[in-house]
Amino acid sequence: EVQLVESGGGLVQPGGSLRLSCAASGFTFSSYEMNWVRQAPGKGLEWVSYISSSGSTIYYADSVKGRFTISRDNAKNSLYLQMNSLRAEDTAVYYCARVMATPDYYYYYMDVWGKGTTVTVSS
Amino acid sequence: EIVLTQSPGTLSLSPGERATLSCRASQSVSSSYLAWYQQKPGQAPRLLIYGASSRATGIPDRFSGSGSGTDFTLTISRLEPEDFAVYYCQQYGSSIFTFGPGTKVDIK
């Protein structure tokens, strides 16, 4: 079964750090690009960061640029999000999502999502 | 940066009725990179439609997508009780993934 399982969320004070993990199973993780997407309480979905299958290409939303770092370990089938200088507005459920790209990149979308991990930034 | 606008914000309908959800982009987007997701309370988003009109695996044929350029539509032909949820459109372009604010379909 194709599965993504996030972990590492919790309560952290403003200015603090947290590292999220996403464990992948049931597919060849190293062949897929990945995203982190978050959802603040009662709000919509917000894309956070992207990483290519090899890890060589990375993008960030402006809201987290310079504070968050995405990475992956293909040998461990794992995706990470290092979050520093956390703010109250980073409070959200964080989802990892698999990016499906057809070989010619004709189609490009997120087809598998984890259940999410909750991050709360509060003093 | 492309902004997606969804309308209406809330759609109140009865089971069996037809739902028409709109997603409008601030500039033209590639249809190939336009997707729709369904999200129920407490659950992760689920892919419904990719490439503006292709149904994802396992998605019932009462769900259909259409559109091009700046105007896209998700149609649910006959609402089933399990279809009451929030629906998001999403596009990819210029190294950025963008979501619309969502349309909530609730029971009238």
Side-chain angles (χ1 to χ4, degrees), chain A residues 35 37 39 43-45 47 50 59 95 105-111 113-114, chain B residues 32-33 35 37 39 43-45 47 50-51 54 88 90 92 95-97 99:
Chain A
N35 274 333
V37 176
Q39 186 170 36
K43 302 297 184 182
L45 301 169
W47 168 73
Y50 157 94
Y59 306 131
Y95 298 101
Y105 279 82
Y106 187 77
Y107 292 122
Y108 202 64
Y109 51 92
M110 290 174 269
D111 68 332
W113 296 65
Chain B
S32 296
Y33 296 169
Y37 302 86
Q39 188 179 35
Q43 295 186 17
L47 175 69
Y50 65 92
S54 297
Y88 295 95
Q90 173 260 314
Y92 171 78
S95 307
I96 294 174
F97 295 79
F99 290 92

Side-chain angles (χ1 to χ4, degrees), chain B residues 18-98:
Chain B
R18 181 185 187 90
T20 303
L21 287 66
S22 173
C23 175
R24 180 162 291 176
S26 58
Q27 55 188 281
S28 184
V29 306
S30 169
S31 297
S32 296
Y33 296 169
L34 193 288
W36 289 91
Y37 302 86
Q38 176 194 65
Q39 188 179 35
K40 297 178 182 178
Q43 295 186 17
R46 177 175 73 143
L47 175 69
L48 294 177
I49 300 287
Y50 65 92
S53 61
S54 297
R55 270 187 304 277
T57 303
I59 301 303
D61 61 6
R62 63 180 181 274
F63 290 91
S64 63
S66 63
S68 64
T70 60
D71 290 297
F72 299 88
T73 300
L74 175 70
T75 302
I76 311 171
S77 59
R78 285 179 55 87
L79 282 164
E80 297 288 340
E82 61 267 29
D83 299 338
F84 292 93
V86 180
Y87 294 84
Y88 295 95
C89 58
Q90 173 260 314
Q91 71 87 34
Y92 171 78
S94 302
S95 307
I96 294 174
F97 295 79
T98 308

